Amino acid sequence: MATTKCIRNTEDIMRVILGNTNEYHGEAREIVTDSELAFLPELALGIVEKLNGTLQFIFAEDNRSQNNAFSLHHVFSIPSHRCMLHVMSEIPADTPEFPSLALRLPSANWHERKIADMLGLTPVGHPDPRRLVLHEDWPEGLYPWRTDFDQTQAVPRVEGTYMFHKIDGEGVFEIPVGPVHAGIIEPGHFRFSSVGEKILYLELRLFYKHRGIERFMEGRSLLEGAIAAERISGDETIANAVAYSQAVERALGLAIPERAKRLRAVLLELERTHCHLADIGGAVTDVAFAVGAAKAAILREKVLDLCERISGSRFMRGMIVPGGLRRDLNNRAVLQVANFIEVELCAVQELESSIFSRSSIVDRFTRTGSLSAEHALKLGVVGPIARASGVPVDARINYPYGFYTMYPLGLITRSEGDVASRVKLKFDEIRQSLAVIKAALDGIEQGAIYGDDEATIIHSQALGWVEAPRGQAICWVEITETSKIAQCRWRTPSFSNWPALPLALQGDIVPDFPLVNKSFNLSYAGNDL
Amino acid sequence: MRKFRCKRICRPKVTIKDLDRRPPSYADRWAPMLAGNGCSGCMACAEVCPTGAIAFNNSGQILFKHDACIACRACTDLCEPGVLILGPGIGGAVTRSELSYVGSTDKASADEPAIRPLKTPGPSKTIKIFAKSMHVREVDCGSCNACELEIAAISNPVYDAERFGISFVASPRHADVLFVTGSVTRQMELALNKTMAATPSPKLVVAVGACACSGGLFGNTQFAGAGVDASIKVDIYIPGCPPSPRAILSSIRGLQRGTITRSEHDHSR
């Protein structure tokens, strides 16, 4: 993680990567480099085109009190070198703007708009300069992530309208949906432009649930940070807490004991199992297959019940902390999990065959909501959605951490990219998750669950990442000398995947929207933060 | 055959009989409580609590505000004498003050309960208007989605809320009861008010989860509000982070049977 001097092109990057020998306990590396704003567009394109890297995350912070500049961070992942490349550049305080990458790298779109909203930095050349996170009633010129923003002052509501994209033409009409939806789900606004039943265009308007979590984390203790991370998105409790904890552990150079690594993997995979079962149940509900939905709900309830028995919380809250685990699983709990896997595996097989043996379901699932590999790649889609479209991304394999450095996990992909392939992939992943749990418990030994190393701050900042049920979540943490969180930024899988939903829907009919949306299963809370 | 199936699907814990027998305050372990005497009054728990759900007053009493508690277990992990444990919390209540409990830090006499309600519920009018049929509209105003998942879970075959006449409807126009979760974010406040206006009277509002009851962990900022009752009047508070399906169901059952009473007030203003 050594910082090197300014990089200008891909040759510099290769030199940095090959010259970097910093290993972090056998896990994938984070390589931090400096660059300048002027080199960024060329650099980013070079990484994506020549090194087959992906733009994962762009964020910024207000450093004006220290060096009279904002700092801009670009995070690329380079799977061929198993590393995260973290490029930092400075934006002088008197010219608050930076070159936009969004036109050539569409995955930069939302990241840059979020930076513009929260810090008032203008992405020059951005094709869509509208607000993203802050809604129209937020006053102009107030930037909540700037250090001079007064957090005690009430923010007035101002008049304003959000300019939706207008699709004109004979017979084109708009269907506004939300923010309050018909089911028991989270709020978000969708605006369909359609001709008859065919969807021409779907525009998303999210961030109704913006709670200011990244701002909330500033100045909190490391334990409070873990508690907050658990509450970013309900069914990604463990995943987000592990991403945060790994970032802190990397910053502090903490090694966690092997028992904690194994148990973290168990908890992560249990979470993936119940999250995927909820998705499958939701998808079959939307094609009116009530029996399958009931079966999936019962299976999921069993997983949640197991989680409650072993951890005291159905969503396994209060388990993860930087350095290891907050509480151990006793032998009885380990045995319960091991026994559970065998039973669950049979039931999952049965559910899969009962779903895919019905032609009416297969008919609705096949070629609905197709997302091409090209689109998925360009938008930086992650997780099961990317894998169902044939894009081989899985943080557990590409950038391994914890137990996954010891366990050879096979990459599961499918090529069709439709609802059927996403549902089938989730079944495969449940089976894989149960196998991982089995392997993690097989060689488990008694021992410490919390590393009692002296925590010395070796880096003031680090990235942590995890393959959450919805895809790769990335957390960046900066730690103060007094072991508090200075800043924290999140890139959740939902933030990457939401922009792909309108593309998957093109050419489909409006009644297929719930089905496609459910097969994507994106978190609103995790996106809005 | 029928009996066998019922048993197989439904865990013995949540049969109808059990739910009715159980006091409405039942919830699975989620709130800190004093497990006996011996609290040294070191106040470490109050300092570590991220939501300010534990406080000490001048007369040496420890105050638990269950509306704000997120059961993060920071306090119980830290308690030096080990008397603070995570125990059965309380379920639904009609006012926020009824969600506050006090415990004595001194060596109190053995027959005095370790914790007791701060206020005994005042006289209130029992209503059972939706006792046999209750149509619920859920409105998410900024939760983490865990509360939604648990509310959705009460209508699954395991908890099967339909057997109590509780069903979820797609429009506020069809609803008797609004379940509101989340601290009411700045960007959801308007939508909540519109949903409230669209729901016909008589209606009840149920705040589900710590965020809805008090603002929770992320509340009381410019983006996240101080709970549902800062925007609209709330009839029932169900605390928890998230409250388990059992806790939600038993609270609603209490309302239906009139064991949770609510004071008379009018939403039609």
Side-chain angles (χ1 to χ4, degrees), chain A residues 1-5 16 20 22 31-34 88 459 461:
Chain A
M1 256 197 308
T3 309
T4 45
K5 52 184 190 298
V16 168
N20 183 298
N22 284 339
I31 298 170
V32 184
T33 62
D34 281 337
M88 296 198 289
H459 304 288
Q461 50 159 321

Side-chain angles (χ1 to χ4, degrees), chain A residues 118 132-139 144 149-158 179-187 206-213 215-216 220 223-224 227-235 274 278 293-295 297-298 300-302 304-305 308-319 326-327 470 523 525-526, chain B residues 8-9 11 13 28-30 47-51 70-78 86 136-159 168-172 181-192 195 211 216-224 240-246:
Chain A
M118 307 312 270
L132 179 75
V133 179
L134 303 175
H135 282 190
E136 57 279 1
D137 63 358
W138 185 270
F149 176 74
D150 185 0
Q151 291 197 57
T152 55
Q153 201 73 39
V155 179
R157 289 183 192 271
V158 296
V180 179
H181 294 292
I184 307 173
I185 53 166
E186 304 179 72
L206 300 175
F207 299 94
Y208 285 92
K209 299 182 81 170
H210 180 66
R211 293 159 285 168
I213 293 176
R215 183 90 220 210
F216 168 88
R220 303 278 162 170
L223 174 64
E224 275 181 323
I227 291 168
E230 285 179 341
R231 282 156 182 84
I232 285 175
S233 175
D235 48 4
H274 79 66
K295 278 182 181 168
I298 293 167
R300 175 173 175 272
E301 195 59 38
K302 282 181 179 162
L304 289 178
D305 196 44
E308 188 176 16
R309 271 183 281 146
I310 63 171
S311 74
S313 156
R314 282 160 59 86
F315 294 99
M316 299 181 281
R317 291 191 166 167
M319 292 295 282
R326 279 173 72 188
R327 56 205 85 241
R470 296 185 174 92
S523 165
Chain B
R8 208 171 63 161
I9 295 173
R11 293 173 306 162
K13 270 185 190 170
D28 271 23
R29 48 199 161 137
W30 65 263
E47 276 158 31
V48 79
C49 181
T51 58
I70 55 168
C72 65
R73 298 194 257 187
C75 52
T76 55
D77 284 0
L78 208 70
L86 208 69
V136 182
R137 170 69 257 187
E138 199 273 338
V139 191
D140 177 352
C141 295
S143 73
C144 67
N145 196 30
C147 287
E148 274 66 54
L149 292 166
E150 298 295 52
I151 292 171
I154 73 169
S155 58
N156 75 18
V158 178
Y159 300 100
F168 290 93
V169 292
S171 164
T181 63
S183 54
V184 187
T185 55
R186 178 190 166 93
Q187 324 213 103
M188 265 310 281
E189 201 175 357
L190 178 67
L192 174 64
T195 310
C211 296
L217 187 62
F218 302 121
N220 302 304
T221 68
Q222 286 124 326
F223 287 111
C241 186
S244 66
R246 287 187 291 278

Side-chain angles (χ1 to χ4, degrees), chain A residues 99-167:
Chain A
S100 167
L101 308 176
L103 259 185
R104 296 165 85 180
L105 296 175
S107 53
N109 180 356
W110 278 23
H111 294 283
E112 291 178 349
R113 283 169 71 187
K114 188 170 177 180
I115 291 170
D117 278 14
M118 307 312 270
L119 278 160
L121 307 173
T122 315
V124 178
H126 195 289
D128 184 3
R130 293 175 300 170
R131 289 249 187 97
L132 179 75
V133 179
L134 303 175
H135 282 190
E136 57 279 1
D137 63 358
W138 185 270
E140 286 284 336
L142 267 186
Y143 304 111
W145 283 359
R146 288 197 176 187
T147 43
D148 51 8
F149 176 74
D150 185 0
Q151 291 197 57
T152 55
Q153 201 73 39
V155 179
R157 289 183 192 271
V158 296
E159 283 288 313
T161 42
Y162 182 76
M163 300 304 290
F164 283 97
H165 288 304
K166 277 267 175 253
I167 308 294

Side-chain angles (χ1 to χ4, degrees), chain A residues 14-35:
Chain A
M14 281 316 294
R15 209 163 43 242
V16 168
I17 291 175
L18 296 176
N20 183 298
T21 51
N22 284 339
E23 276 288 324
Y24 176 75
H25 305 299
E27 298 186 0
R29 290 171 298 169
E30 177 198 347
I31 298 170
V32 184
T33 62
D34 281 337
S35 186

Side-chain angles (χ1 to χ4, degrees), chain A residues 264-454:
Chain A
R264 275 186 183 182
V266 170
L267 302 180
L268 280 167
E269 299 302 331
L270 275 177
E271 186 170 79
R272 194 183 320 282
T273 308
H274 79 66
C275 202
H276 280 2
L277 280 169
D279 286 7
I280 291 163
V284 295
T285 306
D286 287 337
V287 294
F289 181 43
V291 178
K295 278 182 181 168
I298 293 167
L299 282 179
R300 175 173 175 272
E301 195 59 38
K302 282 181 179 162
V303 184
L304 289 178
D305 196 44
L306 177 80
C307 295
E308 188 176 16
R309 271 183 281 146
I310 63 171
S311 74
S313 156
R314 282 160 59 86
F315 294 99
M316 299 181 281
R317 291 191 166 167
M319 292 295 282
I320 308 288
V321 71
L325 292 180
R326 279 173 72 188
R327 56 205 85 241
D328 202 354
L329 262 58
N330 57 24
N331 286 340
R332 197 164 148 255
V334 168
L335 206 66
Q336 277 179 339
V337 178
N339 291 340
F340 171 81
I341 294 167
E342 306 295 330
V343 182
E344 185 80 356
L345 202 56
C346 299
V348 167
Q349 304 276 36
E350 192 194 315
L351 178 64
E352 184 176 16
S353 58
S354 85
I355 289 173
F356 286 98
S357 63
R358 279 166 171 79
S359 54
S360 64
I361 296 175
V362 174
D363 182 50
R364 281 292 301 278
F365 277 8
T366 312
R367 284 187 293 281
T368 305
S370 295
L371 182 71
S372 68
E374 189 200 349
H375 283 159
L377 209 57
K378 276 204 168 149
L379 286 173
V381 174
V382 293
I385 301 164
R387 293 195 284 275
S389 292
V391 180
V393 288
D394 189 329
R396 295 172 291 175
I397 297 158
N398 298 347
Y399 322 103
Y401 50 87
F403 176 66
Y404 304 102
T405 54
M406 310 173 229
Y407 180 76
L409 198 72
L411 185 71
I412 305 174
T413 55
R414 289 190 164 264
S415 53
E416 306 87 354
D418 55 1
V419 174
S421 64
R422 285 193 280 273
V423 173
K424 277 181 188 157
L425 185 96
K426 279 170 187 167
F427 272 112
D428 290 342
E429 291 201 359
I430 291 173
R431 279 191 284 272
Q432 191 184 42
S433 289
L434 296 176
V436 173
I437 296 173
K438 197 163 187 269
L441 290 178
D442 259 355
I444 199 160
E445 284 167 8
Q446 293 296 338
I449 51 158
Y450 187 80
D452 46 6
D453 300 15
E454 273 296 298

